[in-house]
Amino acid sequence: MAIILLFNDPDRFLGDEWLASAVSIAITYIVFIMGVPALIFQTFIPDALRNIYNEKLGVRGSRFLLLQIILILFLFLQSNHLIYDLEHQYDMPEWFVTLFVIGIIAAILYLGYRYLLHNFYSTRNIEQQLSEKIADDAIHYFAEHKKLGKKDLEDLGLLARELPAGRVKNIFLEQCERLVEYLLNVPNKDRDTKLIGEILENAVCLSATYDGAQVNNENMRKVLDILILTYSHTHRNGMREASTSYLNTTIGNCMKEIGIKAMLKNDLPSVMDAVEKLSAIESTSREMFVLGNEALQHGHVQTTVAVVRKLGGKVRHNTAPGDTLSYDDKRTYYFWLGLVAKIYQLRGSAQNFAERQLQNVVLRFGDHRDEVHALFEETRRHFYHLADFATIDAVRELEEVLFPE
C-alpha cells in the first residue's frame, strides 16, 4: 500500500510523482465538474432564458474556474522541486508543507463539490432568480444613472413573453411591481414617467397580451392591479398634467388590451375587472368603446353591456339639458351612444336594454330636441373622422327610430 500511495518513495511523503499524479487527477476532476453543469444547463434551463442566465447568474462559474486553476498551478509547481520547493526555499518544516498541500487538495475537492451542488440547486426556481436579479440590477442602475439600462428593459420583455402562466409569472409580475413602485417613489426631479410607461407596456402588459404568452386569470388580475396601482399613485402624488396624461393613455390602452384578451379566452371575471378598473380612469371612453365593440363582434354581449352601463353612468352624471359639455364629456357621450346604437341593432331583448339606456339619458332632455339632434349629429361626425362607418349607420338608424319626424 505504501508503494502504491508514495510511488516507491516511502521516505518522502508527497513526492514529485505523487504530486504530478495529483495534478493530473485534479485536472480531470475539474473538467468533470465543469462539464456536469453544462449538461444541467442544456437540460433544465429553457432556450430563451439561457443568455440571460449566463449574463446575470453565470459569473460564479468563471470565478470558480480561475480559483481552481490557481490551486492546480501551485500543485504543478510543487510537483517539480527543481522549479519550486516551499520546504527548501522558505525553510519550512516538512510536516507544514505536507499539511499545506493536503489542504489545497481538500480545497479543490470541496470547492468542486460545492460548485456542483450549487448548479444542481440553481436550476430550481430559475425564473424567480432571474426576475429578482433583473429587478435588483435595474434598481441599482437607476440609483446610479437616473435611467434604466436598455438590456434590463429587453430582459424584462423577454421574461414577459417566455415565462409560463401561474405562480412563476406572478412572481415575475411582483418584481415588476417592485420596480415600478421604486420609480414612482423617487423624487419628482428624477421621476421619468416615460420610463414607467415603457415598463408597464413592454413588460407588465406584454406578459398578458403577447400572442404567444402563457397567462391565466390570476396573472391577468395581477397585471390589472399593477396598472391601477400606478394610476392611483400618480394622481395621489400630484404629477404634472402632461405626465399623468401620458400614463393614463398607456394604462388605459393596456387595460383595454387585457380586457380583449380575457374576453377571447372567455375569462369573464377578468373582463369585468378590466371594465371596472378602466372606468375609474379619466379619459378612457375610447378604450372602453373599443373593448365593448370588440366584444360585440365576438358575441360577448355581457362585456358590451358592462361597458355601456359604466359609460352610461358617466353620461348621466355629466349630461343635462342646457349644460355646456366639455370635450371629454362629449367623447364619452359619443362612444356610449355608438355602443347603445349597435346593441339596438341586435333586436329582441337587446333592443329593450338599449331603449332603457336611452330613456335614462336622451329622454331626460324632454322638449330640448335640438340639443339631442345636435348630439346625434356630432356623434356621427365623430365616428366619420374615425372611419367607423358601421357605427355611423347604427347611430343614424337609432335616430330615425327615436325621431321619425
Side-chain angles (χ1 to χ4, degrees):
M1 180 64 70
I3 294 175
I4 294 175
L5 290 177
L6 304 179
F7 295 91
N8 298 320
D9 191 7
D11 297 327
R12 181 173 175 79
F13 187 61
L14 300 180
D16 292 353
E17 293 182 57
W18 200 99
L19 286 172
S21 298
V23 170
S24 176
I25 295 171
I27 292 174
T28 305
Y29 176 70
I30 296 305
V31 171
F32 170 76
I33 290 298
M34 296 299 293
V36 171
L39 178 62
I40 297 172
F41 184 77
Q42 293 289 334
T43 305
F44 295 103
I45 299 179
D47 293 344
L49 304 183
R50 287 176 186 169
N51 288 336
I52 303 180
Y53 178 88
N54 280 332
E55 293 171 2
K56 299 294 183 180
L57 301 175
V59 181
R60 181 185 177 94
S62 60
R63 293 174 180 172
F64 164 78
L65 182 59
L66 179 61
L67 179 59
Q68 297 288 62
I69 289 175
I70 292 173
L71 295 177
I72 291 175
L73 181 61
F74 176 81
L75 285 180
F76 173 75
L77 294 175
Q78 188 65 19
S79 66
N80 190 327
H81 290 283
L82 296 177
I83 300 175
Y84 188 72
D85 191 345
L86 279 176
E87 183 180 347
H88 292 92
Q89 291 184 15
Y90 296 97
D91 195 23
M92 293 183 179
E94 183 177 351
W95 64 267
F96 178 82
V97 176
T98 300
L99 290 178
F100 189 63
V101 171
I102 292 176
I104 290 177
I105 296 174
I108 292 174
L109 294 174
Y110 177 74
L111 290 174
Y113 163 77
R114 293 292 301 174
Y115 178 76
L116 190 60
L117 200 62
H118 168 78
N119 278 275
F120 273 116
Y121 283 119
S122 66
T123 58
R124 300 180 181 179
N125 302 322
I126 185 65
E127 297 88 353
Q128 178 179 347
Q129 294 181 56
L130 287 176
S131 300
E132 292 176 355
K133 178 64 174 173
I134 294 171
D136 289 341
D137 288 351
I139 290 173
H140 180 72
Y141 190 87
F142 187 89
E144 290 187 353
H145 305 282
K146 307 307 176 188
K147 63 179 182 179
L148 286 193
K150 182 180 178 181
K151 191 65 175 64
D152 289 331
L153 291 174
E154 291 176 352
D155 290 344
L156 286 173
L158 179 62
L159 291 186
R161 295 190 298 270
E162 298 295 337
L163 292 183
R167 177 178 172 274
V168 170
K169 180 153 284 186
N170 255 25
I171 291 173
F172 164 74
L173 290 172
E174 287 170 1
Q175 296 303 317
C176 290
E177 182 179 19
R178 180 166 68 93
L179 176 58
V180 169
E181 283 187 312
Y182 172 81
L183 296 175
L184 287 170
N185 288 318
V186 299
N188 289 334
K189 63 183 180 66
D190 297 328
R191 188 179 298 131
D192 187 347
T193 53
K194 185 176 184 298
L195 179 59
I196 296 171
E198 287 180 359
I199 295 172
L200 293 178
E201 187 174 6
N202 299 324
V204 176
C205 183
L206 191 67
S207 68
T209 59
Y210 179 65
D211 287 341
Q214 304 175 53
V215 63
N216 62 12
N217 173 276
E218 183 184 2
N219 301 143
M220 288 189 176
R221 301 290 284 270
K222 183 63 179 176
V223 172
L224 291 171
D225 288 343
I226 294 173
L227 293 172
I228 199 65
L229 170 70
T230 306
Y231 173 78
S232 301
H233 194 287
T234 57
H235 282 259
R236 185 172 64 246
N237 286 5
M239 284 188 180
R240 294 187 303 273
E241 184 176 349
S243 300
T244 57
S245 177
Y246 165 75
L247 278 179
N248 285 357
T249 302
T250 302
I251 292 171
N253 187 63
C254 288
M255 287 186 175
K256 175 204 70 178
E257 294 296 329
I258 292 170
I260 292 174
K261 185 81 171 183
M263 179 264 298
L264 295 176
K265 292 170 65 69
N266 292 313
D267 184 359
L268 190 59
S270 294
V271 175
M272 294 306 168
D273 191 29
V275 172
E276 185 71 29
K277 289 182 167 64
L278 190 56
S279 66
I281 299 176
E282 298 176 0
S283 305
T284 55
S285 54
R286 179 172 184 175
E287 287 77 11
M288 295 184 71
F289 172 82
V290 172
L291 174 56
N293 191 43
E294 189 79 14
L296 205 59
Q297 292 176 8
H298 287 83
H300 292 261
V301 182
Q302 284 178 295
T303 301
T304 309
V305 167
V307 172
V308 167
R309 284 175 172 163
K310 289 296 181 182
L311 288 176
K314 293 184 177 183
V315 169
R316 287 193 299 272
H317 182 265
N318 298 321
T319 305
D323 287 351
T324 301
L325 300 180
S326 67
Y327 175 72
D328 283 342
D329 291 339
K330 283 188 176 182
R331 288 179 75 250
T332 302
Y333 182 92
Y334 302 153
F335 290 121
W336 169 81
L337 184 57
L339 284 179
V340 170
K342 287 198 164 185
I343 291 178
Y344 189 86
Q345 288 182 320
L346 297 180
R347 312 304 177 191
S349 298
Q351 192 173 80
N352 294 333
F353 169 78
E355 289 173 349
R356 287 195 300 272
Q357 293 296 308
L358 290 167
Q359 288 174 358
N360 293 332
V361 178
V362 175
L363 299 184
R364 292 172 59 199
F365 285 84
D367 296 332
H368 296 74
R369 294 294 181 90
D370 292 341
E371 293 185 34
V372 177
H373 282 297
L375 286 171
F376 270 84
E377 175 65 28
E378 290 174 17
T379 300
R380 293 198 304 271
R381 190 182 305 119
H382 179 78
F383 283 106
Y384 180 81
H385 290 307
L386 297 177
D388 189 347
F389 304 119
T391 304
I392 295 173
D393 294 338
V395 172
R396 181 180 286 111
E397 179 183 336
L398 180 60
E399 185 178 13
E400 291 173 354
V401 172
L402 286 176
F403 311 109
E405 70 277 8

